Amino acid sequence: MAYNSSAYQKAINILERRREKATLEANSRKAEILSKLPEIDEIQSKLSAIGISISKCFFNKENNEAEIKKLEAASLALQKKREEILLANGYGSDALSEQYICPICKDTGYFNNRMCSCHKEILKENERNSLRNIAPLDDCTFETFDVRYYPENVMENGVSPREKVDRILENCRVYVQKFNEHSPNLIFMGKTGLGKTHLSLAIANAVINKGFSVVYGTSQNILSDLQNENFGRTENNLYNEYDVLNADLLIIDDLGTEFKNAYSVACLYNIVNTRILKKRPTIISTNYDFNKLNEIYDVRITSRIAGEYSTLVLEGNDIRYIK
């Protein structure tokens, strides 16, 4: 998965804060318990002494197996007594220990030299939060996509807009189920307000849940930030060239609405061409058809999109007005 270094660092910071919090809370809880229950302090002291005695036995050349077993039995008895006292006074049996959010890895993020599931979930949530800051990610799912807003009247091709969008919706579900770093490219076409952004974000939602990185943005914002980066204006940029070119999935919304100049066209060509060469999937949405795109962009761009992207055309009336 092509998470960037910033995403990994954010996850590590979260894990570090979790461990620090667990330690501070454990120390505070332990101080409270020892002040209220002096017998617990006595047990702790006895357990420490037994631990030292057992260690000495191991270093002693004589056969002290019987003595070790005796000490271990005494330790278990003290631990049981400690647990009974804690429970009787409204504490958990492990109240003196750190209470980690993830008991498997103890909030380190790794278990048996492999990334823990909690670490993966943090990375996913960071991806979601990044998109939530710029798009209504939580509102745009496959479940909230309502085909009833599309007309049922049959068009010239013998298919109604509703039947057509129903098929597109199913294609998107299948796309997500099979998604990997080399999935096909998609382009959503259709007039404004037909759900292109909703479907794009629904795919983003599901892809993030599968553990892949997603970069989403309008063509205006992405190309503007890359232009700023190219000319050394790096403050307050949300997008950078490395992430745009290397994310597991790139979603470019509203293609054609950006301010166009020689640089923006060249930058768009580089994004489209590089990700095709890297076999990194890209999803584009636009209000234009290919005839209009040919008027706006270099034929090198439109020919690559036409040849390398699966085209999904939505038809109907502006859903925002209907709602």
Side-chain angles (χ1 to χ4, degrees):
M1 314 298 176
Y3 291 115
N4 60 30
S5 58
S6 175
Y8 283 114
Q9 189 58 53
K10 285 181 182 177
I12 290 171
N13 291 344
I14 289 171
L15 289 165
E16 287 178 349
R17 288 196 295 271
R18 287 181 178 181
R19 292 197 303 275
E20 289 172 0
K21 183 180 179 183
T23 299
L24 289 172
E25 289 179 346
N27 290 340
S28 176
R29 194 167 51 248
K30 185 176 180 179
E32 176 189 306
I33 290 171
L34 296 181
S35 66
K36 287 183 177 180
L37 306 171
E39 58 267 49
I40 293 292
D41 195 12
E42 294 175 12
I43 291 175
Q44 291 293 94
S45 299
K46 290 178 181 178
L47 286 170
S48 297
I50 289 174
I52 294 171
S53 298
I54 290 175
S55 298
K56 289 179 178 179
C57 288
F58 279 117
F59 285 103
N60 197 317
K61 294 182 179 180
E62 297 179 8
N63 187 355
N64 292 314
E65 185 175 344
E67 181 62 21
I68 291 174
K69 287 183 177 180
K70 180 181 176 181
L71 290 168
E72 288 176 342
S75 176
L76 290 173
L78 286 169
Q79 290 176 48
K80 185 178 179 181
K81 184 178 179 182
R82 180 182 63 187
E83 180 178 338
E84 290 172 350
I85 295 171
L86 288 171
L87 293 173
N89 286 273
Y91 294 101
S93 59
D94 56 353
L96 295 172
S97 304
E98 285 86 349
Q99 308 295 306
Y100 296 107
I101 292 177
C102 179
I104 297 172
C105 71
K106 296 183 178 179
D107 292 343
T108 62
Y110 290 90
F111 181 71
N112 287 340
N113 295 320
R114 299 184 67 179
M115 185 180 289
C116 184
S117 59
C118 73
H119 195 162
K120 295 176 183 178
E121 287 304 316
I122 292 172
L123 288 166
K124 292 178 188 179
E125 190 60 21
N126 286 344
E127 285 291 292
R128 291 189 196 98
N129 287 336
S130 295
L131 264 68
R132 285 181 181 123
N133 290 332
I134 56 175
L137 184 68
D138 297 320
D139 298 329
C140 297
T141 65
F142 292 130
E143 290 70 29
T144 58
F145 189 86
D146 195 343
V147 300
R148 292 176 298 175
Y149 288 110
Y150 296 82
E152 291 185 278
N153 54 297
V154 176
M155 299 180 293
E156 293 180 359
N157 59 5
V159 179
S160 71
R162 184 176 298 183
E163 184 180 355
K164 190 173 185 181
V165 78
D166 211 11
R167 294 177 184 174
I168 290 174
L169 179 60
E170 182 58 28
N171 286 338
C172 291
R173 291 182 186 274
V174 172
Y175 180 83
V176 164
Q177 289 171 3
K178 298 180 178 180
F179 186 85
N180 59 62
E181 293 95 332
H182 306 302
S183 285
N185 304 301
L186 303 178
I187 180 167
F188 290 107
M189 289 183 162
K191 295 182 295 184
T192 185
L194 289 181
K196 300 183 298 296
T197 297
H198 189 130
L199 286 173
S200 297
L201 289 173
I203 291 173
N205 245 317
V207 167
I208 288 172
N209 287 340
K210 295 186 74 172
F212 293 96
S213 63
V214 176
V215 169
Y216 166 89
T218 64
S219 59
Q220 171 64 36
N221 290 338
I222 291 174
L223 295 176
S224 176
D225 276 8
L226 295 194
Q227 184 167 349
N228 287 338
E229 181 185 30
N230 183 65
F231 290 104
R233 300 189 293 268
T234 57
E235 292 185 7
N236 301 320
N237 286 343
L238 185 60
Y239 305 97
N240 62 76
E241 186 177 67
Y242 180 86
D243 291 346
V244 168
L245 296 182
N246 292 283
D248 294 325
L249 175 63
L250 170 66
I251 300 177
I252 303 175
D253 206 4
D254 283 335
L255 180 66
T257 60
E258 72 280 357
F259 177 77
K260 296 167 191 67
N261 54 34
Y263 178 83
S264 67
V265 173
C267 185
L268 178 61
Y269 171 79
N270 181 54
I271 293 170
V272 170
N273 190 56
T274 299
R275 289 188 64 86
I276 288 173
L277 293 176
K278 289 188 173 189
K279 296 183 178 180
R280 294 278 186 179
T282 303
I283 295 176
I284 293 174
S285 73
T286 180
N287 297 335
Y288 301 130
D289 58 19
F290 277 112
N291 290 331
K292 184 63 177 179
L293 291 178
N294 276 326
E295 295 176 11
I296 299 174
Y297 299 109
D298 189 313
V299 69
R300 295 181 305 163
I301 295 175
T302 54
S303 66
R304 277 166 172 74
I305 293 175
E308 299 289 342
Y309 284 61
S310 296
T311 305
L312 302 173
V313 181
L314 288 84
E315 300 184 67
N317 303 312
D318 192 326
I319 293 172
R320 288 182 287 247
Y321 283 122
I322 297 173
K323 288 182 177 180

